[in-house]
Amino acid sequence: MKMLIGGEWVNAKSGEEIMVVNPATQKFLDTVPNATKEDVANCLHHAGKGQKEWASLSLYVRTAVLAKCADRIKQQRDELATLLSSETGKTIKEAEKEISNTSLIFKSFAEKANHLYGQVMPDIHEGMEKDISFTRREPLGVIVCIVPFNFPANLFAQKVAPALACGNGVIVKPASDNPLTALRLSEILLECGVPGNALQIVTGKGSTVGKWLVDNPMINGVSLTGSTEVGMEIAKDAAKYLHRVFLELGGNDAFIIFEDADLASAVEEAVRTRAGNAGQMCCASKRFLVHEQIKEKFTNALVNRLSKLVIGDPLDPCTEMGCLISEKAAIQVEEGIKHTIEQGAKCIYGGKRFNKTFFPPTVLTDVTPEMDISKDLEVFGPVFPIIEFSSGEEAIRIANQTKYGLQNGIMSADISKAIEVASRLKSGAVVINGGCNYRHVEMPFGGCKMSGIGREGVSCTLEEMSQVKTYVLKSVLNTK
């Protein structure tokens, strides 16, 4: 597939390409251009013109286009889901759900944008009784949307839909491992009426293409979902020009399971929120804090449940867990487990990758709060480190000792206790009666501390991707 620059599908100026393979089979899928600095400069040249063209359309015209995009994505769910599963390694059921959510996100932002109101200031300021001051929202300008590999369709929608709804120009930088779904979605948007210079998509390595796009005065904002390390580099480059920055970064989320929790439900939530997408989720449950009274029972039940998990061909509807995005990613998970074992943990289930990119669910016991995995070591795979606690105070201390603050989960039969604990956890969200992995399309998703800046979701992103202008009509009222 080619990349989209200035309304045309083009190769890189150098002719260099990046091969895209199916991570489950290692079979060739397609190639994409490895963009050069000249390609990026050309893209930026078109972006400003495209933004003005798109913003000149009335809001109802723009949102009608986005609603049409939502319908088209829904109609082509099966095709998109198959492509998504093939290039990412997630199960076909997970891919189908993601494409359905992608359609919903486009539809929801179109509806929300049609009801985004300005404000009129009250006449409480003495001497200004004859004035009328009101606000309107205007586009930021050109926004670079950097989309990660783990949810390439969903997060494409969470960034691109609100940016376009607000009248911004958009440049998408997809992950180099699996850019095909984002490219196909871009084709659909063009077919539905988005101008080809208002939406552009540039493929290539993030370390170069991403930097060229962000470290540039011709853009106005950056929306990134990725690692904390990459987010810090992006923020540094953006700071030179005071670009508005939205960063959804890493996490090492704690799932706290109290002694009065329903054991069967806790196990199911643990599996769902850690084995889903083969553990490659920023808000997955990554630290399992289990009360000492039920730790042994929970561990045995967890291993028993994981032993029945069907791992295999992602395109097989019976498969419950697919593979990781690449062999490199699987090796990194293996290294994280090895490091934790060297610090004193025991691996009682799983632990070794197979077929290059597949990694079995892995249970680690004897994990102490002092170990790296209990603090800031984010393992991006299906690993279950079980950490014992004896009191609510201890659980809160362990949960909060990480540099991250994305989401947490609590299981307890005592709702008052759960809410009290939730109020003391330093994170952007807390799931009560469930694991950490939860994302409603409307919720203001995001974290604190090193988990990012800003929030993303239908309830808030339109405000983030627009700016307020105040209009003052001076001395227009005849007041006594």
mmCIF file of all heavy atoms in Angstrom, residues 86-125:
data_model
loop_
_atom_site.group_PDB
_atom_site.id
_atom_site.type_symbol
_atom_site.label_atom_id
_atom_site.label_comp_id
_atom_site.label_asym_id
_atom_site.label_seq_id
_atom_site.Cartn_x
_atom_site.Cartn_y
_atom_site.Cartn_z
ATOM 1 N N SER A 86 -4.914 -9.991 10.822
ATOM 2 C CA SER A 86 -3.769 -10.546 10.079
ATOM 3 C C SER A 86 -2.491 -9.779 10.333
ATOM 4 O O SER A 86 -1.414 -10.367 10.429
ATOM 5 C CB SER A 86 -4.085 -10.537 8.575
ATOM 6 O OG SER A 86 -5.185 -11.374 8.285
ATOM 7 N N GLU A 87 -2.569 -8.458 10.453
ATOM 8 C CA GLU A 87 -1.339 -7.672 10.605
ATOM 9 C C GLU A 87 -0.955 -7.420 12.058
ATOM 10 O O GLU A 87 0.162 -6.996 12.339
ATOM 11 C CB GLU A 87 -1.462 -6.334 9.880
ATOM 12 C CG GLU A 87 -2.450 -5.358 10.481
ATOM 13 C CD GLU A 87 -2.292 -3.947 9.915
ATOM 14 O OE1 GLU A 87 -1.211 -3.620 9.380
ATOM 15 O OE2 GLU A 87 -3.256 -3.161 10.028
ATOM 16 N N THR A 88 -1.886 -7.701 12.988
ATOM 17 C CA THR A 88 -1.640 -7.391 14.402
ATOM 18 C C THR A 88 -1.470 -8.632 15.254
ATOM 19 O O THR A 88 -0.771 -8.607 16.263
ATOM 20 C CB THR A 88 -2.787 -6.516 14.953
ATOM 21 O OG1 THR A 88 -2.927 -5.355 14.138
ATOM 22 C CG2 THR A 88 -2.512 -6.079 16.378
ATOM 23 N N GLY A 89 -2.143 -9.725 14.897
ATOM 24 C CA GLY A 89 -2.049 -10.946 15.682
ATOM 25 C C GLY A 89 -3.117 -11.081 16.741
ATOM 26 O O GLY A 89 -3.137 -12.059 17.493
ATOM 27 N N LYS A 90 -4.031 -10.107 16.835
ATOM 28 C CA LYS A 90 -5.135 -10.247 17.785
ATOM 29 C C LYS A 90 -6.186 -11.171 17.193
ATOM 30 O O LYS A 90 -6.246 -11.359 15.966
ATOM 31 C CB LYS A 90 -5.735 -8.887 18.146
ATOM 32 C CG LYS A 90 -6.362 -8.122 17.003
ATOM 33 C CD LYS A 90 -6.968 -6.808 17.504
ATOM 34 C CE LYS A 90 -5.921 -5.908 18.135
ATOM 35 N NZ LYS A 90 -6.502 -4.731 18.775
ATOM 36 N N THR A 91 -7.011 -11.749 18.052
ATOM 37 C CA THR A 91 -7.999 -12.710 17.569
ATOM 38 C C THR A 91 -9.028 -12.012 16.692
ATOM 39 O O THR A 91 -9.261 -10.809 16.816
ATOM 40 C CB THR A 91 -8.720 -13.412 18.728
ATOM 41 O OG1 THR A 91 -9.546 -12.448 19.414
ATOM 42 C CG2 THR A 91 -7.729 -14.013 19.707
ATOM 43 N N ILE A 92 -9.658 -12.777 15.834
ATOM 44 C CA ILE A 92 -10.650 -12.209 14.924
ATOM 45 C C ILE A 92 -11.821 -11.623 15.704
ATOM 46 O O ILE A 92 -12.391 -10.590 15.303
ATOM 47 C CB ILE A 92 -11.131 -13.259 13.894
ATOM 48 C CG1 ILE A 92 -11.997 -12.600 12.812
ATOM 49 C CG2 ILE A 92 -11.837 -14.413 14.575
ATOM 50 C CD1 ILE A 92 -11.286 -11.577 11.971
ATOM 51 N N LYS A 93 -12.181 -12.231 16.818
ATOM 52 C CA LYS A 93 -13.260 -11.665 17.632
ATOM 53 C C LYS A 93 -12.862 -10.319 18.215
ATOM 54 O O LYS A 93 -13.680 -9.384 18.252
ATOM 55 C CB LYS A 93 -13.645 -12.647 18.747
ATOM 56 C CG LYS A 93 -14.374 -13.897 18.248
ATOM 57 C CD LYS A 93 -14.801 -14.780 19.405
ATOM 58 C CE LYS A 93 -15.566 -16.005 18.900
ATOM 59 N NZ LYS A 93 -15.976 -16.895 20.021
ATOM 60 N N GLU A 94 -11.625 -10.206 18.685
ATOM 61 C CA GLU A 94 -11.145 -8.919 19.189
ATOM 62 C C GLU A 94 -11.116 -7.875 18.070
ATOM 63 O O GLU A 94 -11.459 -6.706 18.277
ATOM 64 C CB GLU A 94 -9.751 -9.078 19.794
ATOM 65 C CG GLU A 94 -9.717 -9.870 21.085
ATOM 66 C CD GLU A 94 -8.304 -10.178 21.551
ATOM 67 O OE1 GLU A 94 -7.402 -10.334 20.689
ATOM 68 O OE2 GLU A 94 -8.085 -10.262 22.775
ATOM 69 N N ALA A 95 -10.706 -8.302 16.884
ATOM 70 C CA ALA A 95 -10.628 -7.387 15.751
ATOM 71 C C ALA A 95 -12.019 -6.915 15.337
ATOM 72 O O ALA A 95 -12.213 -5.724 15.023
ATOM 73 C CB ALA A 95 -9.921 -8.067 14.587
ATOM 74 N N GLU A 96 -12.979 -7.813 15.318
ATOM 75 C CA GLU A 96 -14.347 -7.429 14.957
ATOM 76 C C GLU A 96 -14.907 -6.419 15.947
ATOM 77 O O GLU A 96 -15.558 -5.432 15.559
ATOM 78 C CB GLU A 96 -15.234 -8.673 14.908
ATOM 79 C CG GLU A 96 -14.936 -9.585 13.720
ATOM 80 C CD GLU A 96 -15.639 -10.924 13.812
ATOM 81 O OE1 GLU A 96 -16.204 -11.244 14.882
ATOM 82 O OE2 GLU A 96 -15.616 -11.667 12.818
ATOM 83 N N LYS A 97 -14.641 -6.638 17.214
ATOM 84 C CA LYS A 97 -15.102 -5.706 18.240
ATOM 85 C C LYS A 97 -14.439 -4.344 18.066
ATOM 86 O O LYS A 97 -15.094 -3.302 18.198
ATOM 87 C CB LYS A 97 -14.800 -6.278 19.630
ATOM 88 C CG LYS A 97 -15.274 -5.395 20.770
ATOM 89 C CD LYS A 97 -14.970 -6.028 22.127
ATOM 90 C CE LYS A 97 -15.424 -5.119 23.264
ATOM 91 N NZ LYS A 97 -15.106 -5.725 24.594
ATOM 92 N N GLU A 98 -13.154 -4.349 17.749
ATOM 93 C CA GLU A 98 -12.445 -3.077 17.578
ATOM 94 C C GLU A 98 -12.986 -2.289 16.392
ATOM 95 O O GLU A 98 -13.146 -1.063 16.475
ATOM 96 C CB GLU A 98 -10.945 -3.323 17.408
ATOM 97 C CG GLU A 98 -10.151 -2.029 17.270
ATOM 98 C CD GLU A 98 -8.646 -2.221 17.309
ATOM 99 O OE1 GLU A 98 -8.186 -3.311 17.706
ATOM 100 O OE2 GLU A 98 -7.926 -1.285 16.939
ATOM 101 N N ILE A 99 -13.273 -2.957 15.300
ATOM 102 C CA ILE A 99 -13.813 -2.254 14.131
ATOM 103 C C ILE A 99 -15.209 -1.712 14.436
ATOM 104 O O ILE A 99 -15.558 -0.587 14.042
ATOM 105 C CB ILE A 99 -13.846 -3.168 12.895
ATOM 106 C CG1 ILE A 99 -12.414 -3.604 12.522
ATOM 107 C CG2 ILE A 99 -14.504 -2.464 11.728
ATOM 108 C CD1 ILE A 99 -11.468 -2.450 12.226
ATOM 109 N N SER A 100 -16.015 -2.478 15.143
ATOM 110 C CA SER A 100 -17.338 -1.981 15.544
ATOM 111 C C SER A 100 -17.202 -0.740 16.413
ATOM 112 O O SER A 100 -17.953 0.236 16.248
ATOM 113 C CB SER A 100 -18.105 -3.075 16.300
ATOM 114 O OG SER A 100 -18.400 -4.165 15.445
ATOM 115 N N ASN A 101 -16.249 -0.754 17.347
ATOM 116 C CA ASN A 101 -16.010 0.413 18.190
ATOM 117 C C ASN A 101 -15.516 1.601 17.366
ATOM 118 O O ASN A 101 -15.836 2.758 17.660
ATOM 119 C CB ASN A 101 -15.000 0.084 19.285
ATOM 120 C CG ASN A 101 -15.584 -0.785 20.379
ATOM 121 O OD1 ASN A 101 -16.804 -0.880 20.521
ATOM 122 N ND2 ASN A 101 -14.727 -1.424 21.163
ATOM 123 N N THR A 102 -14.721 1.325 16.336
ATOM 124 C CA THR A 102 -14.209 2.389 15.466
ATOM 125 C C THR A 102 -15.368 3.120 14.792
ATOM 126 O O THR A 102 -15.392 4.361 14.732
ATOM 127 C CB THR A 102 -13.257 1.799 14.415
ATOM 128 O OG1 THR A 102 -12.167 1.156 15.090
ATOM 129 C CG2 THR A 102 -12.715 2.870 13.488
ATOM 130 N N SER A 103 -16.328 2.370 14.288
ATOM 131 C CA SER A 103 -17.521 2.973 13.689
ATOM 132 C C SER A 103 -18.292 3.803 14.713
ATOM 133 O O SER A 103 -18.713 4.933 14.434
ATOM 134 C CB SER A 103 -18.424 1.878 13.119
ATOM 135 O OG SER A 103 -19.649 2.408 12.690
ATOM 136 N N LEU A 104 -18.458 3.246 15.909
ATOM 137 C CA LEU A 104 -19.176 3.947 16.973
ATOM 138 C C LEU A 104 -18.495 5.257 17.341
ATOM 139 O O LEU A 104 -19.158 6.274 17.582
ATOM 140 C CB LEU A 104 -19.287 3.040 18.200
ATOM 141 C CG LEU A 104 -19.922 3.656 19.450
ATOM 142 C CD1 LEU A 104 -21.360 4.075 19.174
ATOM 143 C CD2 LEU A 104 -19.856 2.673 20.623
ATOM 144 N N ILE A 105 -17.169 5.252 17.381
ATOM 145 C CA ILE A 105 -16.424 6.459 17.752
ATOM 146 C C ILE A 105 -16.630 7.567 16.722
ATOM 147 O O ILE A 105 -16.878 8.727 17.077
ATOM 148 C CB ILE A 105 -14.929 6.126 17.917
ATOM 149 C CG1 ILE A 105 -14.715 5.241 19.152
ATOM 150 C CG2 ILE A 105 -14.096 7.409 18.048
ATOM 151 C CD1 ILE A 105 -13.355 4.573 19.200
ATOM 152 N N PHE A 106 -16.559 7.227 15.448
ATOM 153 C CA PHE A 106 -16.809 8.232 14.413
ATOM 154 C C PHE A 106 -18.227 8.797 14.527
ATOM 155 O O PHE A 106 -18.444 10.013 14.447
ATOM 156 C CB PHE A 106 -16.576 7.643 13.019
ATOM 157 C CG PHE A 106 -15.172 7.816 12.518
ATOM 158 C CD1 PHE A 106 -14.213 6.844 12.753
ATOM 159 C CD2 PHE A 106 -14.791 8.956 11.829
ATOM 160 C CE1 PHE A 106 -12.904 6.998 12.303
ATOM 161 C CE2 PHE A 106 -13.494 9.126 11.376
ATOM 162 C CZ PHE A 106 -12.547 8.146 11.605
ATOM 163 N N LYS A 107 -19.193 7.908 14.709
ATOM 164 C CA LYS A 107 -20.583 8.343 14.842
ATOM 165 C C LYS A 107 -20.762 9.239 16.063
ATOM 166 O O LYS A 107 -21.428 10.294 15.995
ATOM 167 C CB LYS A 107 -21.489 7.113 14.955
ATOM 168 C CG LYS A 107 -22.962 7.437 15.150
ATOM 169 C CD LYS A 107 -23.773 6.160 15.328
ATOM 170 C CE LYS A 107 -25.242 6.493 15.608
ATOM 171 N NZ LYS A 107 -26.039 5.258 15.834
ATOM 172 N N SER A 108 -20.168 8.849 17.182
ATOM 173 C CA SER A 108 -20.356 9.588 18.435
ATOM 174 C C SER A 108 -19.726 10.970 18.383
ATOM 175 O O SER A 108 -20.301 11.952 18.870
ATOM 176 C CB SER A 108 -19.772 8.775 19.602
ATOM 177 O OG SER A 108 -20.426 7.531 19.734
ATOM 178 N N PHE A 109 -18.548 11.077 17.800
ATOM 179 C CA PHE A 109 -17.915 12.394 17.704
ATOM 180 C C PHE A 109 -18.693 13.311 16.758
ATOM 181 O O PHE A 109 -18.784 14.524 16.997
ATOM 182 C CB PHE A 109 -16.464 12.266 17.257
ATOM 183 C CG PHE A 109 -15.501 12.063 18.388
ATOM 184 C CD1 PHE A 109 -14.768 10.886 18.487
ATOM 185 C CD2 PHE A 109 -15.327 13.030 19.363
ATOM 186 C CE1 PHE A 109 -13.884 10.687 19.535
ATOM 187 C CE2 PHE A 109 -14.448 12.839 20.421
ATOM 188 C CZ PHE A 109 -13.717 11.675 20.507
ATOM 189 N N ALA A 110 -19.258 12.749 15.688
ATOM 190 C CA ALA A 110 -20.076 13.566 14.785
ATOM 191 C C ALA A 110 -21.286 14.118 15.527
ATOM 192 O O ALA A 110 -21.632 15.306 15.398
ATOM 193 C CB ALA A 110 -20.508 12.726 13.587
ATOM 194 N N GLU A 111 -21.929 13.273 16.332
ATOM 195 C CA GLU A 111 -23.099 13.716 17.090
ATOM 196 C C GLU A 111 -22.711 14.732 18.158
ATOM 197 O O GLU A 111 -23.391 15.747 18.349
ATOM 198 C CB GLU A 111 -23.783 12.509 17.730
ATOM 199 C CG GLU A 111 -24.410 11.549 16.721
ATOM 200 C CD GLU A 111 -24.914 10.275 17.360
ATOM 201 O OE1 GLU A 111 -24.549 9.999 18.531
ATOM 202 O OE2 GLU A 111 -25.654 9.527 16.686
ATOM 203 N N LYS A 112 -21.616 14.470 18.852
ATOM 204 C CA LYS A 112 -21.177 15.373 19.915
ATOM 205 C C LYS A 112 -20.807 16.745 19.364
ATOM 206 O O LYS A 112 -21.160 17.786 19.942
ATOM 207 C CB LYS A 112 -19.977 14.756 20.642
ATOM 208 C CG LYS A 112 -19.375 15.621 21.744
ATOM 209 C CD LYS A 112 -20.222 15.643 22.986
ATOM 210 C CE LYS A 112 -19.501 16.358 24.126
ATOM 211 N NZ LYS A 112 -20.322 16.393 25.351
ATOM 212 N N ALA A 113 -20.099 16.767 18.237
ATOM 213 C CA ALA A 113 -19.664 18.042 17.654
ATOM 214 C C ALA A 113 -20.859 18.909 17.271
ATOM 215 O O ALA A 113 -20.791 20.143 17.355
ATOM 216 C CB ALA A 113 -18.791 17.780 16.430
ATOM 217 N N ASN A 114 -21.954 18.287 16.869
ATOM 218 C CA ASN A 114 -23.153 19.041 16.504
ATOM 219 C C ASN A 114 -23.832 19.689 17.705
ATOM 220 O O ASN A 114 -24.746 20.512 17.536
ATOM 221 C CB ASN A 114 -24.160 18.135 15.791
ATOM 222 C CG ASN A 114 -23.782 17.859 14.354
ATOM 223 O OD1 ASN A 114 -23.065 18.638 13.735
ATOM 224 N ND2 ASN A 114 -24.253 16.741 13.813
ATOM 225 N N HIS A 115 -23.401 19.317 18.899
ATOM 226 C CA HIS A 115 -24.011 19.862 20.118
ATOM 227 C C HIS A 115 -22.947 20.415 21.068
ATOM 228 O O HIS A 115 -23.092 20.347 22.289
ATOM 229 C CB HIS A 115 -24.858 18.792 20.813
ATOM 230 C CG HIS A 115 -25.974 18.288 19.966
ATOM 231 N ND1 HIS A 115 -25.836 17.244 19.084
ATOM 232 C CD2 HIS A 115 -27.261 18.718 19.813
ATOM 233 C CE1 HIS A 115 -26.979 17.033 18.446
ATOM 234 N NE2 HIS A 115 -27.858 17.910 18.869
ATOM 235 N N LEU A 116 -21.896 20.959 20.497
ATOM 236 C CA LEU A 116 -20.848 21.581 21.302
ATOM 237 C C LEU A 116 -21.116 23.087 21.321
ATOM 238 O O LEU A 116 -20.954 23.769 20.310
ATOM 239 C CB LEU A 116 -19.470 21.289 20.691
ATOM 240 C CG LEU A 116 -18.253 21.700 21.507
ATOM 241 C CD1 LEU A 116 -18.206 20.921 22.816
ATOM 242 C CD2 LEU A 116 -16.979 21.472 20.714
ATOM 243 N N TYR A 117 -21.538 23.575 22.464
ATOM 244 C CA TYR A 117 -22.029 24.946 22.539
ATOM 245 C C TYR A 117 -20.962 25.913 23.056
ATOM 246 O O TYR A 117 -20.069 25.538 23.813
ATOM 247 C CB TYR A 117 -23.253 25.015 23.464
ATOM 248 C CG TYR A 117 -24.357 24.072 23.065
ATOM 249 C CD1 TYR A 117 -24.716 22.998 23.874
ATOM 250 C CD2 TYR A 117 -25.032 24.247 21.861
ATOM 251 C CE1 TYR A 117 -25.735 22.126 23.501
ATOM 252 C CE2 TYR A 117 -26.056 23.384 21.482
ATOM 253 C CZ TYR A 117 -26.397 22.325 22.301
ATOM 254 O OH TYR A 117 -27.396 21.465 21.919
ATOM 255 N N GLY A 118 -21.124 27.170 22.676
ATOM 256 C CA GLY A 118 -20.339 28.240 23.262
ATOM 257 C C GLY A 118 -21.008 28.744 24.523
ATOM 258 O O GLY A 118 -21.994 28.178 25.000
ATOM 259 N N GLN A 119 -20.472 29.838 25.072
ATOM 260 C CA GLN A 119 -21.006 30.406 26.314
ATOM 261 C C GLN A 119 -21.237 31.907 26.138
ATOM 262 O O GLN A 119 -20.566 32.571 25.341
ATOM 263 C CB GLN A 119 -20.030 30.184 27.475
ATOM 264 C CG GLN A 119 -19.832 28.735 27.859
ATOM 265 C CD GLN A 119 -18.827 28.595 28.984
ATOM 266 O OE1 GLN A 119 -17.724 29.131 28.928
ATOM 267 N NE2 GLN A 119 -19.201 27.875 30.035
ATOM 268 N N VAL A 120 -22.177 32.425 26.923
ATOM 269 C CA VAL A 120 -22.394 33.875 27.004
ATOM 270 C C VAL A 120 -22.078 34.298 28.429
ATOM 271 O O VAL A 120 -22.556 33.690 29.396
ATOM 272 C CB VAL A 120 -23.843 34.235 26.644
ATOM 273 C CG1 VAL A 120 -24.053 35.744 26.794
ATOM 274 C CG2 VAL A 120 -24.166 33.794 25.226
ATOM 275 N N MET A 121 -21.238 35.337 28.554
ATOM 276 C CA MET A 121 -20.817 35.766 29.876
ATOM 277 C C MET A 121 -21.930 36.576 30.557
ATOM 278 O O MET A 121 -22.566 37.414 29.907
ATOM 279 C CB MET A 121 -19.554 36.629 29.788
ATOM 280 C CG MET A 121 -18.384 35.970 29.064
ATOM 281 S SD MET A 121 -17.868 34.403 29.781
ATOM 282 C CE MET A 121 -18.341 33.259 28.490
ATOM 283 N N PRO A 122 -22.168 36.360 31.839
ATOM 284 C CA PRO A 122 -23.204 37.127 32.556
ATOM 285 C C PRO A 122 -22.752 38.569 32.808
ATOM 286 O O PRO A 122 -21.545 38.860 32.863
ATOM 287 C CB PRO A 122 -23.358 36.352 33.861
ATOM 288 C CG PRO A 122 -22.032 35.714 34.078
ATOM 289 C CD PRO A 122 -21.519 35.368 32.710
ATOM 290 N N ASP A 123 -23.699 39.460 33.000
ATOM 291 C CA ASP A 123 -23.364 40.890 33.204
ATOM 292 C C ASP A 123 -23.139 41.188 34.683
ATOM 293 O O ASP A 123 -23.906 41.911 35.322
ATOM 294 C CB ASP A 123 -24.445 41.792 32.609
ATOM 295 C CG ASP A 123 -25.821 41.527 33.203
ATOM 296 O OD1 ASP A 123 -25.980 40.476 33.860
ATOM 297 O OD2 ASP A 123 -26.715 42.362 33.010
ATOM 298 N N ILE A 124 -22.056 40.637 35.212
ATOM 299 C CA ILE A 124 -21.745 40.832 36.640
ATOM 300 C C ILE A 124 -20.610 41.828 36.847
ATOM 301 O O ILE A 124 -20.266 42.138 37.979
ATOM 302 C CB ILE A 124 -21.374 39.483 37.303
ATOM 303 C CG1 ILE A 124 -20.098 38.915 36.655
ATOM 304 C CG2 ILE A 124 -22.514 38.484 37.212
ATOM 305 C CD1 ILE A 124 -19.469 37.778 37.424
ATOM 306 N N HIS A 125 -20.027 42.303 35.752
ATOM 307 C CA HIS A 125 -18.848 43.179 35.853
ATOM 308 C C HIS A 125 -19.299 44.629 35.674
ATOM 309 O O HIS A 125 -19.736 45.037 34.594
ATOM 310 C CB HIS A 125 -17.831 42.801 34.778
ATOM 311 C CG HIS A 125 -16.470 43.365 35.009
ATOM 312 N ND1 HIS A 125 -15.322 42.695 34.652
ATOM 313 C CD2 HIS A 125 -16.062 44.533 35.567
ATOM 314 C CE1 HIS A 125 -14.272 43.431 34.983
ATOM 315 N NE2 HIS A 125 -14.706 44.554 35.523
#
